[in-house]
Amino acid sequence: MRKLVLFILLLFSCHSFAAEQQDSVAKSRHRVTLYGDTEESVSPRQHGLIPIMSFTTIGIEPVRRLTIGVSYIGYLGLYKDSERKTYYQTQGIGGECGWQLFKAKKDGTFWDKGDEIDIRARYGHSIGGGDLKYDLYDAAIIYRYMRSVIDLSLAVGYRFINSHSSEVRNHSNVYLGIGIGI
């Protein structure tokens, strides 16, 4: 519970900092903005393992349309074979780079002003003494619903996890992610 409260406080502090940045950007030519988001994703079962991943990202938009960020990765792998049921849990860090493909300038038939479509590439690596050691490679297309202070996002992507643990094989699959951001 304490981690959740700290995370919510972090999101709100990032939002107030980003709002101050946007006010100062309006007065200057240099447009660097700070953003934060969190995403939960789940993939279908492969080799008896269902990977559920959580990404918490803080990043910047150094130039228009380009985003660069660092992520904390939480990994939970629900494992089931004919003999046992268990789970693998580990943490990781990673980096991401994104590019805005489309941003609606006005309300239309399918889009409202501010909606956007982005592409993103990620790399992640496990840290600490978790149950699973891995390298993660990820590419996604994201729809962002940006109509209020908090943005909602829906991601569809492809993820490859190179496992360095003998108990779990490498797995690659398509995933669905839902996120919120500021």
Side-chain angles (χ1 to χ4, degrees), residues 23-166:
D23 290 341
S24 65
V25 165
K27 298 175 186 172
S28 69
R29 291 179 155 231
H30 188 54
R31 184 183 182 267
V32 176
T33 57
L34 177 71
Y35 73 93
D37 67 12
T38 183
E39 175 186 319
E40 300 294 326
S41 64
V42 65
S43 302
R45 181 184 308 271
Q46 187 176 36
H47 308 303
L49 185 74
I50 299 175
I52 300 171
M53 302 195 81
S54 172
F55 294 86
T56 303
T57 305
I58 295 178
I60 61 170
E61 184 179 340
V63 294
R64 209 174 116 215
R65 295 185 159 199
L66 175 70
T67 56
I68 300 170
V70 293
S71 300
Y72 165 78
I73 305 167
Y75 180 94
L76 176 65
L78 302 176
Y79 189 74
K80 178 185 175 189
D81 64 9
S82 59
E83 300 173 9
R84 62 185 173 151
K85 294 180 183 179
T86 187
Y87 65 94
Y88 295 101
Q89 186 174 6
T90 191
Q91 303 172 36
I93 58 171
E96 71 176 42
C97 184
W99 185 259
Q100 182 187 86
L101 294 175
F102 169 78
K103 184 168 187 169
K105 304 283 186 207
K106 59 182 181 174
D107 292 342
T109 306
F110 298 107
W111 311 102
D112 286 331
K113 186 176 181 177
D115 289 357
E116 63 182 56
I117 295 178
D118 300 347
I119 58 172
R120 177 190 61 218
R122 268 191 193 137
Y123 169 77
H125 183 72
S126 60
I127 57 172
D131 301 329
L132 178 67
K133 304 294 183 200
Y134 65 86
D135 286 318
L136 171 135
Y137 306 93
D138 183 320
I141 187 161
I142 304 140
Y143 168 71
R144 297 194 189 280
Y145 179 84
M146 303 174 69
R147 303 226 174 71
S148 66
V149 173
I150 297 198
D151 307 330
L152 302 175
S153 63
L154 178 65
V156 176
Y158 174 78
R159 181 176 295 142
F160 175 74
I161 297 178
N162 183 12
S163 173
H164 301 295
S165 299
S166 60

